[in-house]
Amino acid sequence: MACVSGRSTFLWDLSMAEVVEINNLEDLEPYRLAWNALLHQTPRSSFFHTYHWLENYWQHFGHDQRLRVLVILANGSLIGIIPLCVRTERYQVGKVQVLGYPLGDWGTWYGPIGPNQSASLTMALRYLRNQPRDWDMLDLRWVDPALSSRVSRAIQNVGWQSHVGSYQQVSVIQFGNTDWQAYNAALSKKWRHEIGRQARVLERNYKVSFERHRPQGSSCGENDPRWDLFDDCLAISERSWQSESKTGKTLCHGNVRHFLSTSHRIASHLGMLDMAVLKLDNQPVAFQYNYHYDGQLYGLRMGFDRSFAREGPGKVLMSRLIEDSFSRGDMSLDLGIGDFDFKRRFRTSVETSCRTSCYPWTAWRSQGVRLTRWIKNQLGPGGISGCNSHIKKDGECRSRTQEITS
């Protein structure tokens, strides 16, 4: 092993590589500590990259999927873990067995756990190339654009063809390069005045309170999940558009409520929970529910009570949360997919995740998906980008079209 540059770039003798495949949580448990150690060195790591999140996700949604976690060893050292699964997705050509990451569109970014992602992917794909194929299509989504070319080369190096395209665009607020005053001044004059006017109306007519909770985690002796605030978020969600959503992934939806409440407890334990509630006369009317890690915030859900729509509590909450994040020293807030008006007004940048796919020639359904995607891509912006690339019957397509503004 030779260090090339920095703390996380190494040369490994790939001829000495070993891949251990794990297909159930019981056999994965012994790697929990190693996983946690690698997490801190993983680019774009988040709550969704933790062992705990995968464990919770699999216990709730793994019943109709096949787990294929690949543990990568080089020269006897563990250098990476690649969580994969095979799941059935329904396309126009029928049911397709897809090998990919077990994220289910809950987050924005995903990939190998650990700093040596290229080496880990190369060894993992070599291993998969020599195993009986139980999948029709390899579809690695949520890929960082900085990694997509290396993912593509790794696929090509084992003799497969790779296809790279955009997957999802997300709106992001960057905190690190400026301060609250400069950020606020950069907002459109009309937007800034509207938020100020609505804030003054709320202060005049109600007792306004803003509460944000971000426990440091069990390792710091601070892991209170504040179930009262979580219940406030649920109550607001039920009084918002989310109660009528058909995606099955809103905060108040019965199909995911237990999963999200367990995730809440885990995130509090890990020190990765962040939530804010705006109250008028002690009544919760707007919420922002996030996960955070290493200064990066991911906005899982947000919403407001529709009966207060004219008062604009959503915009006021978001403004206060952004100002508070500047004071805390946060680095960024991912507002999620969707080019909605309020996201355009608050965001400072747009980021696009990639998907890297492989369609084996002997898998006719996979070839059918490839042809369909190619045709849609030729038709323009409504093509392969984002969740439009597959049929949404399985309900996994992430919908975070929160109507936080009014």
Side-chain angles (χ1 to χ4, degrees), residues 127-317:
Y127 170 82
L128 292 171
R129 182 69 175 83
N130 295 319
Q131 298 299 309
R133 180 166 53 80
D134 64 344
W135 46 273
D136 300 311
M137 176 174 69
L138 174 66
D139 205 24
L140 300 178
R141 306 163 188 167
W142 315 287
V143 177
D144 184 342
L147 184 63
S148 62
S149 61
R150 284 177 282 170
V151 176
S152 180
R153 284 196 300 269
I155 293 175
Q156 294 169 3
N157 286 340
V158 301
W160 291 339
Q161 287 189 335
S162 66
H163 301 261
V164 181
S166 60
Y167 185 57
Q168 293 173 336
Q169 279 193 340
V170 295
S171 297
V172 180
I173 300 173
Q174 300 288 352
F175 303 116
N177 298 325
T178 184
D179 56 25
W180 163 248
Q181 289 74 21
Y183 167 84
N184 192 49
L187 298 176
S188 73
K189 183 177 180 180
K190 179 180 178 180
W191 187 247
R192 189 169 62 248
H193 286 183
E194 183 177 351
I195 295 173
R197 177 186 61 80
Q198 290 179 322
R200 290 190 294 272
V201 170
L202 291 180
E203 293 285 356
R204 185 168 60 246
N205 296 328
Y206 303 95
K207 176 186 176 182
V208 181
S209 61
F210 169 82
E211 186 169 5
R212 192 170 190 180
H213 180 59
R214 185 186 294 184
Q216 296 301 304
S218 296
S219 62
C220 298
E222 185 184 338
N223 63 351
D224 184 1
R226 285 296 305 273
W227 290 110
D228 58 323
L229 282 183
F230 183 73
D231 289 341
D232 286 342
C233 295
L234 284 176
I236 300 167
S237 177
E238 290 172 343
R239 298 195 298 269
S240 74
W241 68 273
Q242 297 179 27
S243 62
E244 300 172 358
S245 172
K246 304 300 182 183
T247 67
K249 300 181 74 172
T250 60
L251 201 65
C252 62
H253 199 282
N255 288 349
V256 298
R257 182 173 294 194
H258 186 259
F259 164 69
L260 291 176
S261 63
T262 304
S263 296
H264 178 82
R265 175 179 52 78
I266 293 171
S268 177
H269 167 73
L270 296 176
M272 296 184 180
L273 173 66
D274 179 86
M275 56 180 171
V277 172
L278 186 76
K279 297 181 180 181
L280 303 180
D281 291 341
N282 293 320
Q283 178 180 345
V285 297
F287 78 94
Q288 172 80 24
Y289 189 93
N290 310 312
Y291 298 128
H292 84 94
Y293 181 65
D294 198 23
Q296 315 297 322
L297 288 162
Y298 174 80
L300 182 74
R301 296 291 182 266
M302 61 181 78
F304 67 92
D305 187 332
R306 286 182 293 187
S307 64
F308 288 87
R310 291 187 177 182
E311 284 87 346
K315 290 194 288 291
V316 174
L317 168 67

Side-chain angles (χ1 to χ4, degrees), residues 95-139:
K95 294 181 179 180
V96 179
Q97 299 297 305
V98 179
L99 176 64
Y101 296 130
L103 183 60
D105 274 321
W106 283 101
T108 295
W109 310 103
Y110 206 79
I113 310 301
N116 306 290
Q117 295 184 311
S118 295
S120 296
L121 277 169
T122 297
M123 288 185 276
L125 291 168
R126 285 182 182 179
Y127 170 82
L128 292 171
R129 182 69 175 83
N130 295 319
Q131 298 299 309
R133 180 166 53 80
D134 64 344
W135 46 273
D136 300 311
M137 176 174 69
L138 174 66
D139 205 24

Side-chain angles (χ1 to χ4, degrees), residues 330-371:
D330 292 336
M331 298 302 296
S332 67
L333 169 59
D334 177 350
L335 296 174
I337 61 173
D339 194 33
F340 304 103
D341 181 68
F342 85 93
K343 292 183 180 181
R344 291 197 302 271
R345 293 176 181 271
F346 278 120
R347 74 191 182 195
T348 61
S349 63
V350 175
E351 298 183 351
T352 304
S353 64
C354 297
R355 74 186 315 157
T356 304
S357 307
C358 173
Y359 312 97
W361 288 108
T362 55
W364 69 268
R365 283 193 173 91
S366 177
Q367 289 300 311
V369 174
R370 182 187 66 83
L371 179 60

